[in-house]
Amino acid sequence: MASLSHKDLLGIEQLSVEDIQLILDTAEALREVAARPVKKVPTLRGKTVVNLFFEPSTRTRSSFELAEKRLSADILNFSASTSSVTKGETLLDTAHNLEAMSPDIIVIRHQSAGAPHLLGRECRASIVNAGDGMHEHPTQALLDGLTVRTIKGRLDGLKVAIIGDVAHSRVVRSDTILFSRMGADVWVCGPPTLLPWEFEKLGARTTPHMEEAMDGADVIMMLRVQHERQNEAFFPSAREYASLYGLTRERMRSAKKGAIVMHPGPINRGVEIESEVADADYSVILNQVSNGVAARMAVLYLLSGNSGLEP
Amino acid sequence: MQLILRQGRVIDPSQKLNNVMDVGIDDGKIAALAPKVAGKGRKEIDVRGLVILPGFIDMHVHLREPGREDAETIESGCAAAVAGGFTGVACMPNTQPVNDSEAVTAFILSRAREAGKAAVYPVGAITKGLEGKTLAEIGEMRRAGIVAVSDDGHPVCNSQVMRRAMEYSRIFDIPVIDHCEDRDLAAGGVMNEGGWATRLGLRGMNPAAEEVQVERDAVLARQTGARVHIAHLSTRHALETVVRAKKAGVALTCEVTPHHLLLTDAAVAESSYDTNTKMNPPLRLQEDVDALARGLASGAIDVIATDHAPHSVRDKMLEFDHAPFGIVGLETAVSLVCDRFVRPGVLTLERLAELFSANPSRILNLGRGTLAVGSVADVTVLDLERKMDVKPGEFASRSRNTPFAGWKLTGGPALTVVRGKVVWSL
């Protein structure tokens, strides 16, 4: 049986097509744990997982925690607000202190791109990137891949449109690499002020026109737009943004029949997505949440030295 | 005679020399220069097979003293300079306190005298506290010994203030050195804006931030008639601006660093966010590197300077976003240039002498950069066959922040003479 040949999961960038398939297959197999009356398997019994969160996060953190609990791991939660980071301790100091407690896996969320890489170089434990700055959020892309594959039966040949604040999104980077690597036709769309230079190098086509991105799309993924960006001159107002890049029922008509709508959350109703669209039956936002636990279980399982399960 | 260097190849463009000769030194000055100097020196060194050049000057270093002696002191910085083949360094004013007064200038010079190795040429601040608002007492500092003014890493954004600084500098005939960066365009950036920044999720510094300021300085230099020197120029378009201004007769000069000549922004990715690839200006694109290399050979670029920026491990080993900009350069620059440009034939030894010695001396008006009889005996001797592994642990500098660790280089300094005294030898 195949296994993951990496010590750390720092980004989708490092994963081969086979790696991605292995993780998705494993996640699919582990998903049935959630359907059992006793939602727990003993796979990580006796292993210690540290959740090291330097950025507030409710969703990702609870998702990881649930995944760890379902795998029977011992969990240590460590967040920036309760840590010594505020007392001038550096990330490396923190890492070395944690390392002294012999964890097997460290899940890290950090505001700065590359922070997990620094940890990966310094720690024996496996590092899982739970989001680093504007760089990557690999488990989000894996759960997105799992969600689309489950519904559409495949990833290759699909047109995936990702729309919104591309510049500040780590999700779009991980998703673009994953979907394009798996053979999808990825379109990334947003105002040019929020489209970073040479985004095409990640494997997407880019356009400032939403119609072009939406035309015939199988999957529409909306990215969160923060109101504060209007103060940094990226766009004039949330109102104008919504009129140019908001996903409405009207705009959904140009997508392919049977297209699904995704969002990494938390959503801004009425800004990047109309409420009715977020709640429509083609919206799979809640499927993403449940798949998140399975995808993270798969990653933890495979990084702790296990081979893939039979799907 | 106090010292005779025997039978080295003397390269001195100021005298059009490229011959195997003896160099006799007495009383801290060049006393004799001939195929064979008669008599016996109190000290004689056989430098057969080596190259004798006018002393190298690094016109852009940070010595960190006063203020950050944990990262570098004037003494350790001077030790690093002479070990890297430099007989003199010009130190930037961003110390704590800032060198914006006669007292700080005097302090730096007195510490340098105590260290007794490389010559130290202080650069004074353009504005008080490097705040970009009001002019520092440039005349007082000049009397105390500054050779130029610069706000370096805190560039003067207000163009009216810059214009005044240029006008005022003409009283003393000293250059205004500018780190060109439009701080709004570069705001928040930690590496070059482009494909790699996009992929790495790091905030980019638009190359236009440098280019618009170089353009501004060219306009103001033309108008004021001041001597303006562009620090660590890093883009192809900025170099085009300098070339154009020079052709029009503007007194504009520029320097480049070895790292901008040898590395691109891909190094940030290849090193997986190693903060030793974080500097300002940031590492740019291959097309920029290629343009700088061409400018080095053609004469468009006047000077190679290191922007030696020591940082302690504690300060530098942080998240890429939070680590300070800059790398050390004094102990790698000459070897890097020998290995990558001189040995492959891109640069002649004459060009090397201009870039490292004659031009910085001329720009800063130091009266060095020559081995003519009667001149101060600052001499750099190179061994073009010397093998060197870059080992930061062995640096004389207090800091180790270099992206060149582990590089294997051929060619480098062998002997450094300052005011007639051998201050370092291999």
Side-chain angles (χ1 to χ4, degrees):
Chain A
M1 193 73 227
S3 63
L4 210 53
S5 56
H6 305 279
K7 169 182 162 277
D8 308 314
L9 177 65
L10 301 176
I12 298 296
E13 178 61 44
Q14 70 182 102
L15 299 180
S16 65
V17 170
E18 292 71 32
D19 289 335
I20 295 169
Q21 252 150 8
L22 173 68
I23 297 171
L24 296 187
D25 292 346
T26 308
E28 227 162 72
L30 286 168
R31 196 161 46 188
E32 57 84 30
V33 173
R36 296 182 190 175
V38 177
K39 300 180 177 57
K40 219 171 172 71
V41 288
T43 321
L44 293 191
R45 185 181 292 156
K47 304 261 184 195
T48 306
V49 181
V50 176
N51 295 315
L52 182 57
F53 278 64
F54 289 92
E55 213 180 48
S57 153
T58 313
R59 295 156 164 268
T60 304
R61 190 184 168 137
S62 345
S63 180
F64 265 106
E65 216 175 307
L66 198 53
E68 290 150 10
K69 285 181 171 157
R70 288 192 175 158
L71 292 170
S72 308
D74 295 322
I75 303 170
L76 179 64
N77 285 320
F78 191 99
S79 70
S81 52
T82 61
S83 78
S84 43
V85 172
T86 43
K87 297 173 196 154
E89 192 177 83
T90 67
L91 176 60
L92 271 188
D93 293 335
T94 305
H96 290 145
N97 276 290
L98 286 173
E99 186 79 350
M101 298 185 233
S102 313
D104 299 283
I105 299 177
I106 299 174
V107 176
I108 176 175
R109 154 77 57 104
H110 200 287
Q111 309 78 333
S112 294
H117 304 65
L118 183 65
L119 240 57
R121 275 198 294 274
E122 295 288 326
C123 296
R124 286 184 304 274
S126 288
I127 307 299
V128 179
N129 181 358
D132 63 325
M134 305 180 295
H135 177 229
E136 281 227 46
H137 192 355
T139 57
Q140 175 73 38
L142 289 164
L143 75 88
D144 288 339
L146 180 63
T147 304
V148 173
R149 200 177 79 165
T150 306
I151 296 167
K152 296 284 178 190
R154 66 193 167 100
L155 297 176
D156 62 298
L158 298 177
K159 177 170 176 179
V160 177
I162 310 175
I163 298 157
D165 180 356
V166 178
H168 301 95
S169 171
R170 50 192 168 217
V171 174
V172 72
R173 288 173 171 81
S174 290
D175 270 333
T176 298
I177 301 169
L178 184 138
F179 283 104
S180 65
R181 205 159 277 180
M182 301 309 283
D185 179 22
V186 181
W187 284 72
V188 161
C189 171
T193 47
L194 289 170
L195 276 179
W197 293 0
E198 299 181 43
F199 196 87
E200 299 77 14
K201 281 193 175 156
L202 280 92
R205 281 189 266 187
T206 60
T207 172
H209 305 297
M210 192 164 171
E211 304 69 41
E212 199 182 355
M214 291 283 297
D215 184 38
D218 299 279
V219 176
I220 298 117
M221 177 145 7
M222 300 308 292
L223 302 172
R224 180 179 169 79
V225 162
Q226 289 171 338
H227 291 275
E228 307 87 76
R229 303 292 176 211
Q230 71 193 44
N231 304 325
E232 301 165 54
F234 287 108
F235 52 84
S237 65
R239 207 170 88 103
E240 177 154 320
Y241 181 88
S243 79
L244 287 169
Y245 296 101
L247 187 60
T248 58
R249 282 163 295 175
E250 174 69 25
R251 285 201 165 113
M252 272 307 286
R253 288 197 200 118
S254 61
K256 194 183 269 180
K257 199 165 177 300
I260 55 172
V261 171
M262 304 173 75
H263 194 300
I267 64 176
N268 280 322
R269 288 175 186 267
V271 184
E272 73 267 5
I273 190 162
E274 209 178 49
S275 244
E276 290 80 356
V277 173
D279 300 331
D281 53 5
Y282 48 74
S283 158
V284 298
I285 296 171
L286 296 178
N287 304 43
Q288 289 175 271
V289 177
S290 23
N291 281 327
V293 179
R296 289 173 178 123
M297 284 171 79
V299 166
L300 295 166
Y301 174 82
L302 292 168
L303 283 180
S304 62
N306 295 290
S307 303
L309 297 167
E310 290 302 330
Chain B
M1 243 173 287
Q2 86 188 82
L3 173 67
I4 302 176
L5 304 176
R6 294 278 187 199
Q7 296 301 296
R9 176 161 294 275
V10 172
I11 305 288
D12 182 1
S14 77
Q15 306 176 76
K16 303 216 168 6
L17 282 180
N18 181 341
N19 302 103
V20 173
M21 301 175 91
D22 289 350
V23 180
I25 293 166
D26 206 22
D27 201 19
K29 299 216 164 76
I30 306 287
L33 191 60
K36 184 85 183 81
V37 170
K40 185 116 180 78
R42 281 200 296 282
K43 185 178 168 104
E44 298 214 355
I45 302 173
D46 182 356
V47 292
R48 231 170 301 185
L50 308 184
V51 186
I52 302 174
L53 300 117
F56 285 6
I57 297 153
D58 185 346
M59 67 179 287
H60 195 137
V61 308
H62 299 270
L63 294 179
R64 301 293 185 226
E65 186 180 354
R68 285 308 302 267
E69 293 81 359
D70 58 322
E72 196 79 287
T73 61
I74 289 170
E75 187 178 12
S76 66
C78 287
V82 297
F86 292 101
T87 57
V89 294
C91 59
M92 288 294 162
N94 62 332
T95 44
Q96 297 162 11
V98 168
N99 184 14
D100 60 359
S101 70
E102 194 184 352
V104 177
T105 304
F107 169 81
I108 292 168
L109 286 170
S110 94
R111 297 288 288 152
R113 268 191 304 276
E114 287 165 28
K117 286 200 163 121
V120 172
Y121 308 110
V123 176
I126 296 173
T127 64
K128 287 188 184 116
L130 305 174
E131 284 172 353
K133 291 177 187 148
T134 55
L135 292 183
E137 288 167 338
I138 296 171
E140 303 273 305
M141 288 190 289
R142 174 61 175 162
R143 211 175 315 142
I146 62 163
V147 296
V149 286
S150 179
D151 277 2
D152 196 34
H154 305 260
V156 178
C157 297
N158 184 320
S159 299
Q160 183 72 304
V161 173
M162 193 50 149
R163 170 205 165 174
R164 300 287 185 231
M166 288 187 191
E167 289 172 337
Y168 197 74
S169 72
R170 292 185 51 208
I171 308 172
F172 316 103
D173 189 29
I174 54 173
V176 175
I177 301 175
D178 197 14
H179 161 126
C180 289
E181 177 184 348
D182 178 312
R183 298 178 90 177
D184 294 309
L185 272 173
V190 295
M191 72 174 291
N192 185 48
E193 183 165 358
W196 282 113
T198 297
R199 291 169 79 151
L200 292 167
L202 292 171
R203 279 178 207 274
M205 305 169 88
N206 187 338
E210 176 173 339
E211 290 154 1
V212 298
Q213 290 301 80
V214 174
E215 201 72 54
R216 175 197 75 170
D217 285 359
V219 170
L220 292 177
R222 167 172 57 76
Q223 197 188 53
T224 59
R227 296 202 288 120
V228 176
H229 178 78
I230 307 297
H232 43 52
L233 181 137
S234 73
T235 82
R236 175 167 68 104
H237 295 294
L239 183 58
E240 281 167 9
T241 301
V242 170
V243 169
R244 205 178 335 112
K246 281 181 170 179
K247 270 198 192 122
V250 179
L252 196 63
T253 54
C254 70
E255 73 195 24
V256 296
T257 69
H259 48 276
H260 290 115
L261 285 163
L262 294 169
L263 300 172
T264 67
D265 58 355
V268 184
E270 283 155 11
S271 69
S272 192
Y273 297 91
D274 181 352
T275 54
N276 288 323
T277 60
K278 179 176 176 181
M279 54 283 276
N280 186 7
L283 298 172
R284 306 286 191 188
L285 308 178
Q286 191 60 49
E287 63 185 60
D288 297 307
V289 167
D290 294 342
L292 297 187
R294 283 194 301 274
L296 207 56
S298 74
I301 289 163
D302 300 280
V303 170
I304 299 174
T306 66
D307 194 8
H308 179 80
H311 292 293
S312 69
V313 173
R314 184 192 149 81
D315 283 348
K316 194 69 172 171
M317 278 289 278
L318 294 176
E319 298 86 336
F320 203 88
D321 282 340
H322 300 151
F325 292 103
I327 57 168
V328 292
L330 281 168
E331 291 169 83
T332 48
V334 173
S335 291
L336 286 166
V337 173
C338 284
D339 185 87
R340 297 303 164 108
F341 295 102
V342 176
R343 291 180 56 91
V346 179
L347 282 187
T348 61
L349 287 167
E350 283 81 0
R351 270 299 286 154
L352 188 74
E354 287 169 4
L355 288 160
F356 272 122
S357 184
N359 290 349
S361 168
R362 174 175 51 81
I363 292 164
L364 299 175
N365 208 3
L366 303 176
R368 302 290 210 275
T370 175
L371 295 172
V373 171
S375 55
V376 174
D378 285 0
V379 183
T380 294
V381 178
L382 300 183
D383 177 355
L384 295 177
E385 303 302 325
R386 174 186 170 189
K387 301 279 183 221
M388 176 173 144
D389 290 354
V390 180
K391 291 182 186 153
E394 295 174 6
F395 283 168
S397 166
R398 285 203 175 174
S399 291
R400 277 92 186 82
N401 49 313
T402 173
F404 299 112
W407 283 40
K408 293 188 190 315
L409 304 170
T410 304
L415 184 78
T416 308
V417 177
V418 175
R419 288 188 175 276
K421 211 171 96 191
V422 175
V423 288
W424 178 84
S425 67
L426 196 56

